[in-house]
Amino acid sequence: MVKVAHVQLCSCCGCLVSLADTYEKLLDVLNSIELVYCQTLADAREIPECDIALVEGSVCLDDHHSLEVAQEVRKKAKIVVALGACAATGGVTRYCKGNQLSKPVHSSFSPLTEVIKVDLAIPGCPPSPEAIVGVITAALNGDMEYLQPYAELAEKGSEACGCDVIYKVVNKSLCMGCGTCAAACPTRAIEMLDGRPNVLKELCIKCGACSVQCPRIRFPELIEKIE
Amino acid sequence: MRWNRMNPFGSYKKVVSARSTLKEVLKKAQDGGIVSTAFIYGLENNLLDGVIVADNAGEFKAVPKVATTPEEVLEAAGTKYTVCPNISVLKSAVREYGCEKIGVVGTPCQVRAVRKLMKYPVGFRHVPDKIALIIGIFCMENFPYYGLKLIVEEHCGVKMEDVVKMDIGKGKFWVYTRWGETKAIKLKETHPYEQIACHVCTDYTAELADISTGSVGSPDGWSTVFIRTAKGEEIFNKMVEDGYLEVKPIEEVKPGLGLVEKLALQKKEKNMKEIEHRKELGLPIPY
Ligand SMILES: Cc1cc2nc3c(=O)[nH]c(=O)nc-3n(C[C@H](O)[C@H](O)[C@H](O)COP(=O)(O)OP(=O)(O)OC[C@H]3O[C@@H](n4cnc5c(N)ncnc54)[C@H](O)[C@@H]3O)c2cc1C
Ligand code: SF4
Ligand code: SF4
Ligand code: SF4
């Protein structure tokens, strides 16, 4: 049995809902895992030793509890997964700036990937259930080739923005206008104009989905095997 | 270098020459009407409930459309030699249109995009399992819309509004007008208008599609068709059994597979060089 923990930091719980949204696939996975910690679903109070920790939410640097939980999870888990935009790239919490009741001093939020060493990051707001199942299944099978792109995002993908498809693709003469980025965006911050993405900055929540889905930045070789 | 970069066609089960038996399709289709026939067949037989096509928004401007009826598929038949972001409406097909069995047609790069989002569906909740059929069309290069317009208006001397069909073949770019005229220029004259991002593309025959089709290799009015996956094979065989397609062995048609191979390898070699060049300059390339 592989021990899995779900840890919630500064987040909306939508990532856990997305995990639950895998329905029967989750049940398949549940046969080989034991959910040892999840404050929403079970009453364990302390994060126990575990194989995989799925952590959603960013870390409030002005809240010592938030920081401690982040460090604790790194100590207890063999594999730490930043689940969803807030943990992986900051997401909507990038825009937090405090001065609200009841804790006006809670103003600084950083993605988990910038606070502790994270092994895998699954961006998206929310990350799709299929992506979560894909990562958990690959982790159970030790399929490192499949996980490689998620490992890279954990290491260097924390600064996500709609501008990525402009800087890394359009500006680099790589965009061929497929429109995948526009479809991936959860807030419709990308419209296709003249066969190129146009990013509406006011709508972007810095979730990273667009650049992660762009086939002109990263195209893992294993995709080329079809049946 | 990847193992299949210099393999001309990618993996496939079977390659044939084929054309539709549907008169209304043959009238509007670019070549043998394989794409439109497969989509119409799929919609009529409940194998598909929505298909993503490139509609003609007038004067060969291309816009992606989710088509749910054979009539809409027919309207969108024929090649627009300009970028059409087909994948941008994929999530709408699932959400707004409520489609559960989606057919997608696209250039090789768009087919690759679909395969990627099926394996790594970060921003595509409940989409991968709804993709029922991926049809790829061969592609040597594409043009931004004003590139196409310059080719047609400046080089061919035809107004965009008078064009009924464009075609690339036999080393030329052809324009057919509604007055029954035909104009052609050497393909070489169109090179300056190519989308430069196409120059790092090493896929000619849409290697990751379920079925790929193009004009090269088969006679006028016919298509060369690669059947690549089990899914593609199943629907293709059904279409033949039900009399929607006429099929000939590719060995029996002219110019045949040799020409497709030559062009595929030309594209791969030329664009691999561009990839190497960009690496030398320290520019990023897809990896
Ligand atoms: C940019 C481009 C370059 C091409 N280059 C070659 C080539 O080098 N060699 C070759 O053999 N064939 C090439 N083709 C393919 C060829 O022109 C035909 O599209 C193909 O043979 C299918 O014909 P059909 O009669 O089966 O399809 P039809 O029944 O006519 O259907 C064609 C389908 O393609 C869709 N479509 C049209 N334009 C686009 C577009 N820009 N982007 C995405 N989808 C589109 C239409 O909506 C329609 O559903 C190219 C096509 C394009 C778009
Ligand atoms: S543009 Fe859209 S997909 Fe891209 S980071 Fe912003 S919100 Fe996410
Ligand atoms: S996903 Fe497609 S349209 Fe968007 S930036 Fe990448 S290549 Fe361009
Ligand atoms: S040449 Fe390649 S990148 Fe360009 S449109 Fe065709 S398939 Fe896409």
Side-chain angles (χ1 to χ4, degrees), chain A residues 6 9 14 22 26 38 98 122 134 148 155 180 188 192 201 226:
Chain A
H6 170 265
L9 288 163
T22 54
L26 177 66
C38 176
I122 316 178
Q148 185 56 31
E155 211 175 320
T180 309
R188 299 187 191 226
M192 295 301 293
K201 286 196 300 275
I226 55 165

Side-chain angles (χ1 to χ4, degrees), chain B residues 88-107:
Chain B
S88 65
V89 298
L90 179 56
K91 214 152 79 180
S92 304
V94 177
R95 305 283 193 271
E96 286 105 89
Y97 289 78
C99 299
E100 301 200 330
K101 291 169 280 188
I102 301 170
V104 186
V105 61
T107 47

Side-chain angles (χ1 to χ4, degrees), chain A residues 160-162 181 184-187 189-190 199 203-211:
Chain A
C161 179
C181 49
C185 179
T187 63
I190 299 182
V199 182
L203 294 180
C204 174
I205 53 163
K206 298 189 186 281
C207 72
C210 51
S211 56

Side-chain angles (χ1 to χ4, degrees), chain A residues 63-75:
Chain A
D63 172 7
H64 69 91
H65 180 67
S66 186
L67 270 168
E68 278 160 17
V69 173
Q71 277 159 351
E72 181 74 5
V73 79
R74 182 64 275 180
K75 270 186 231 138

Side-chain angles (χ1 to χ4, degrees), chain A residues 176 216, chain B residues 107-110 139-142 195 197-199 201-203 267 271:
Chain A
M176 43 57 184
R216 282 303 182 98
Chain B
T107 47
C109 55
Q110 299 181 331
C139 179
M140 189 59 87
E141 74 279 308
N142 208 342
Q195 164 172 266
C198 290
H199 295 172
C201 169
T202 55
D203 187 344
K267 176 173 181 178
N271 292 351

Side-chain angles (χ1 to χ4, degrees), chain A residues 21 123 128 130 146 152 173 175 177-180 183-184 188 196 212-214 216-219 221 224 227, chain B residues 2-4 85 87-88 91 96 112-113 116 119-123 125-126 195 197 200 207 229 278 287:
Chain A
D21 198 12
S128 78
E130 291 86 352
Y146 179 81
E152 286 166 20
S173 187
C175 177
C178 62
T180 309
R188 299 187 191 226
R196 293 291 181 268
V212 169
Q213 293 289 181
C214 175
R216 282 303 182 98
I217 297 177
R218 185 76 169 95
F219 196 85
E221 196 171 345
E224 300 196 356
E227 279 156 36
Chain B
R2 291 187 179 179
W3 62 274
N4 70 345
I87 315 309
S88 65
K91 214 152 79 180
E96 286 105 89
R112 297 177 94 76
K116 178 176 169 180
K119 276 250 162 71
Y120 290 95
V122 165
R125 171 179 163 268
H126 296 348
Q195 164 172 266
V200 296
E207 297 175 13
T229 62
R278 290 199 189 185
Y287 69 106

Side-chain angles (χ1 to χ4, degrees), chain A residues 224 226, chain B residues 3 7 9-13 207 209 226-229:
Chain A
E224 300 196 356
I226 55 165
Chain B
W3 62 274
N7 161 344
F9 306 135
S11 63
Y12 62 94
K13 293 179 189 290
E207 297 175 13
F226 287 89
I227 295 112
R228 299 185 182 278
T229 62

